[in-house]
């Protein structure tokens, strides 16, 4: 099974600051077709998860360029710049090799 | 506008069965894979499985954790997605979401979820 390890479990950031969230997989996420299906989601309190990033670095429609994804193989990062109050919630990575999510990173605003 | 609306959740006894429904609108239903995902309170989401689109023969795949107990189906004439759950256990208690995506692992559209509680 592909295990997704997200770090940190939680973090606190000041408004306007920048944060990075790491997602590491137990095996390479490169698909047979050469694509890497690694996505990032934000679940705001009381809401369904929302897609931020897909295929490692592609922002979904309407997502601010303050969110950026990077990485390859087994190591991936979500960066959030100029943090705003609406960014709080739990961030999950999700991978397409065996369709699993990471355990989540809770973002709190200082 | 893409809309997904789940229904059918509630309280069920251990060992019982339940069928969840998901009404889809705002997109060409037959063109898209459809997914079921669940999330126990305070925990990460878990993919349960998916059903492919028309081009891929509407075939299904399941998470091993529910394979054999859960069945995903779709009614393409009514734009409906279903999740039949049998032999339910306490650990199946969760909010259940239907979703559709733009590519593998990219669930762009989610319903609001329906809560299933398995308890005596």
């Amino acid at each position: 099974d592909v295990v997704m390890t997200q770090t940190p479990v939680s973090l606190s950031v000041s408004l306007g600051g920048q944060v990075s969230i790491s997602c590491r997989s137990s095996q390479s996420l490169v698909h047979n077709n050469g694509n890497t299906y690694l996505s990032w989601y934000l679940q705001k309190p009381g809401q369904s998860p929302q897609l931020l990033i897909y295929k490692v670095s592609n922002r979904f429609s309407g997502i601010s360029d303050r969110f950026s994804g990077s990485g390859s193989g087994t190591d991936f990062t979500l960066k959030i710049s100029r943090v705003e109050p609406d960014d709080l919630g739990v961030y999950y990575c999700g991978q397409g090799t065996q369709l699993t999510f990471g355990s989540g990173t809770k973002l709190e605003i200082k | 506008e893409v809309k997904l609306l789940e229904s059918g959740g509630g309280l069920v006894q251990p060992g019982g069965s339940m069928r969840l429904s998901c009404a889809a609108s705002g997109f060409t239903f037959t063109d898209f894979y459809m997914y079921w995902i669940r999330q126990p309170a305070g925990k990460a989401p878990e993919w349960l499985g998916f059903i492919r689109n028309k081009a891929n023969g509407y075939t299904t795949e399941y998470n091993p954790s529910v394979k054999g107990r859960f069945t995903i189906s779709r009614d393409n004439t009514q734009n409906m997605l279903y999740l039949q759950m049998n032999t339910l256990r306490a650990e199946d208690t969760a909010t259940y979401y239907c979703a559709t995506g733009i590519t593998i692992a990219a669930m762009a559209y989610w319903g609001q979820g329906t809560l299933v509680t398995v308890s005596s």
Side-chain angles (χ1 to χ4, degrees), chain B residues 10 26-27 29 33 58 61 64 66 92 98 101 117:
Chain B
F27 62 103
F29 187 64
Y33 285 35
Y58 302 126
E61 300 290 343
V66 301
D92 295 318
C98 66
T117 302

Side-chain angles (χ1 to χ4, degrees), chain A residues 2-103:
Chain A
V2 178
V3 177
M4 305 298 289
T5 303
Q6 258 185 263
T7 55
V9 173
S10 65
L11 69 166
S12 183
V13 62
S14 299
L15 294 176
Q18 178 174 297
V19 297
S20 292
I21 300 171
S22 171
C23 181
R24 289 183 174 170
S25 61
S26 58
Q27 59 186 261
S28 174
L29 298 185
V30 179
H31 194 273
N32 290 340
N33 61 16
N35 290 314
T36 301
Y37 296 104
L38 188 285
S39 300
W40 289 96
Y41 299 84
L42 165 60
Q43 188 170 29
K44 299 178 182 179
Q47 296 186 18
S48 306
Q50 62 180 94
L51 178 66
L52 301 173
I53 302 285
Y54 65 97
K55 286 171 66 177
V56 180
S57 59
N58 296 272
R59 271 186 300 275
F60 181 53
S61 176
I63 299 302
S64 168
D65 60 5
R66 298 184 300 103
F67 294 90
S68 63
S70 62
S72 62
T74 61
D75 226 330
F76 304 92
T77 301
L78 174 70
K79 288 186 179 178
I80 311 168
S81 61
R82 306 185 305 279
V83 169
E84 299 179 355
D86 197 44
D87 297 339
L88 73 87
V90 182
Y91 290 79
Y92 296 101
C93 58
Q95 61 85 11
T97 303
Q98 292 181 358
L99 294 182
T100 56
F101 288 93
S103 53

